[in-house]
Every structure is written in C-alpha cells, then in structure tokens.
Amino acid sequence: MMLDPSRDLHSPQRQLIEWQMEHADLDALIDQAALVAQPLDELRLRRLKKRRLALRDQIAHLQARLDPKEPA
C-alpha cells in the first residue's frame, strides 16, 4: 500500500512538528535579542512574543485533538 506523499505533508502530526520548530525558533530569536548590544525594537519584540504565544496555543489545541484524554 502506497502512501500519498502530498497527504503526509499536510497531516496533523506534520503540522504539529512544524509549529513546534517555529516556536523553538522564536524562543531562540527572542532569547538572543535580549543578549545583543542593540536589541530589537519594542514593537517587533512584542509581535514575536505574540506569535510565539499563539503558536503555543495552536500546539496545545492540536496535541489535545491528536491525543484525547481517556475517560476516568
């Protein structure tokens, strides 16, 4: 049985991995901005933090969808 490669590229698991990678990249960028002599402007830093927070929420929502809790 052959898997459709285009379907695999859009799977929820793939999306989750992409969001986790983007979140990690934003974490690194925000952390690095605090260490450099000339930090990012405040507006750009707020936008990065807002995007990171939105990604965290999307990741949590998708993880809950993929791994529903068992009833007690």
Side-chain angles (χ1 to χ4, degrees):
M1 179 177 166
M2 281 194 70
L3 295 176
D4 181 3
S6 64
R7 179 177 160 89
D8 188 45
L9 289 176
H10 301 292
S11 72
Q13 292 83 3
R14 174 77 180 223
Q15 184 67 61
L16 182 61
I17 292 168
E18 288 179 11
W19 284 345
Q20 288 170 331
M21 289 171 49
E22 185 177 353
H23 188 274
D25 289 345
L26 285 170
D27 263 346
L29 186 60
I30 291 166
D31 289 346
Q32 184 182 13
L35 300 175
V36 295
Q38 188 177 14
L40 294 173
D41 66 272
E42 189 62 32
L43 180 60
R44 182 160 183 226
L45 190 57
R46 279 191 310 203
R47 286 178 178 165
L48 290 173
K49 288 180 178 181
K50 187 175 182 178
R51 175 66 183 147
R52 180 179 62 177
L53 183 60
L55 275 171
R56 188 187 73 185
D57 292 344
Q58 288 175 301
I59 290 167
H61 179 73
L62 186 54
Q63 283 175 329
R65 233 181 64 213
L66 292 175
D67 189 26
K69 300 286 183 220
E70 296 279 330

